[in-house]
């Protein structure tokens, strides 16, 4: 929050200067920046090793979107937690899933290193719960972890020094998927 306030001040100043300049459309651009900053992208908060994925306020203001990123490096088997900001907006939650993709060349692989689902996909009570911290190296018997070869494995173990993209989905009356980028130590 300490970084967002100065970024908002700079963008507000930029919006004011641009909005007051001569020419058509410049005021609209300033309003667009402010509109981008005010728009809520997600109803989820994701944490890896207690570090929250955050957006760049500057990039979000200018382009309308900024990917979520955990700035601190994580362990190779991090702790995972998610929070729902407004639970009533999801309604009934059928299932919660996670896939993690390694960086491959200049982009991310199309094949997930790990797919994590509840073992009983038909039981909504078997999902990962918001506010609970899960050890990805020891999820236990209630979850299924499939590797990139579609083989079930006992734990998540990332390679050190690599960039990853975590795709987290809450499927419900109103579903949401969010991407979080992170790097391992």
């Amino acid at each position: 929050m300490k970084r967002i306030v100065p970024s908002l001040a700079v963008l507000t100043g930029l919006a004011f200067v641009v909005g007051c300049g001569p020419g058509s459309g410049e005021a609209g651009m300033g309003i667009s920046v402010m509109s981008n900053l005010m728009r809520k992208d997600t109803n989820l908060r994701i944490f890896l090793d207690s570090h929250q994925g955050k957006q760049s306020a500057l990039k979000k203001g200018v382009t309308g979107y900024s990917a979520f990123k955990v700035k601190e490096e994580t362990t190779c088997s991090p702790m995972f937690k998610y929070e729902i900001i407004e639970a009533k907006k999801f309604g009934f939650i059928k299932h919660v899933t996670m896939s993690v993709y390694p960086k491959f060349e200049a982009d991310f692989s199309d094949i997930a290193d790990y797919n994590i689902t509840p073992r009983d996909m038909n039981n909504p009570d078997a999902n990962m719960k918001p506010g609970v911290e899960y050890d990805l190296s020891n999820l236990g018997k209630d979850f299924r972890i499939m590797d990139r070869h579609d083989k079930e494995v006992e734990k998540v173990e990332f390679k050190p020094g690599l960039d990853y993209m975590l795709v987290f989905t809450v499927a419900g009356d109103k579903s949401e998927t969010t991407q979080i980028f992170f790097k391992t130590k």
Side-chain angles (χ1 to χ4, degrees):
M1 193 68 175
K2 291 178 183 176
R3 285 194 218 163
I4 292 174
V5 173
S7 296
L8 288 174
V10 169
L11 287 172
T12 302
L14 175 66
F16 179 75
V17 170
V18 170
C20 293
S24 64
E26 291 176 349
M29 187 168 88
I31 292 169
S32 176
V33 167
M34 291 308 296
S35 175
N36 289 341
L37 289 172
M38 300 305 289
R39 191 181 77 243
K40 186 188 257 186
D41 291 303
T42 184
N43 200 19
L44 299 169
R45 289 188 192 111
I46 307 294
F47 299 83
L48 290 171
D49 286 340
S50 299
H51 304 293
Q52 184 178 349
K54 302 239 179 180
Q55 292 177 301
S56 163
L58 183 60
K59 185 173 180 184
K60 181 179 177 184
V62 173
T63 66
Y65 179 76
S66 174
F68 287 83
K69 183 175 182 177
V70 174
K71 291 185 181 183
E72 298 82 0
E73 291 182 348
T74 69
T75 59
C76 290
S77 289
M79 300 297 286
F80 171 83
K81 180 176 82 169
Y82 78 98
E83 295 175 351
I84 297 176
I85 299 166
E86 294 181 58
K88 65 183 180 197
K89 291 194 175 185
F90 281 106
F92 171 74
I93 295 175
K94 185 174 181 179
H95 62 264
V96 175
T97 61
M98 177 191 320
S99 298
V100 186
Y101 300 83
K103 190 156 191 176
F104 179 74
E105 295 181 353
D107 203 353
F108 288 86
S109 175
D110 291 339
I111 301 169
D113 270 1
Y114 298 99
N115 288 299
I116 301 170
T117 60
R119 190 161 298 281
D120 184 359
M121 289 287 283
N122 295 319
N123 180 2
D125 292 329
N127 288 311
M128 287 184 172
K129 306 287 186 259
V132 176
E133 197 166 45
Y134 292 92
D135 181 352
L136 295 183
S137 70
N138 186 21
L139 277 175
K141 62 179 174 43
D142 294 333
F143 297 97
R144 178 174 285 126
I145 304 170
M146 303 298 285
D147 71 5
R148 65 180 15 239
H149 303 288
D150 294 326
K151 293 183 182 172
E152 190 167 343
V153 295
E154 291 183 14
K155 65 181 181 175
V156 171
E157 192 169 28
F158 301 123
K159 294 178 182 168
L162 286 184
D163 290 311
Y164 288 91
M165 174 180 64
L166 185 148
V167 178
F168 186 73
T169 301
V170 176
D173 288 327
K174 294 287 184 184
S175 299
E176 185 173 326
T177 298
T178 191
Q179 297 176 332
I180 299 87
F181 296 89
F182 67 98
K183 184 173 184 167
T184 54
K185 294 180 187 178

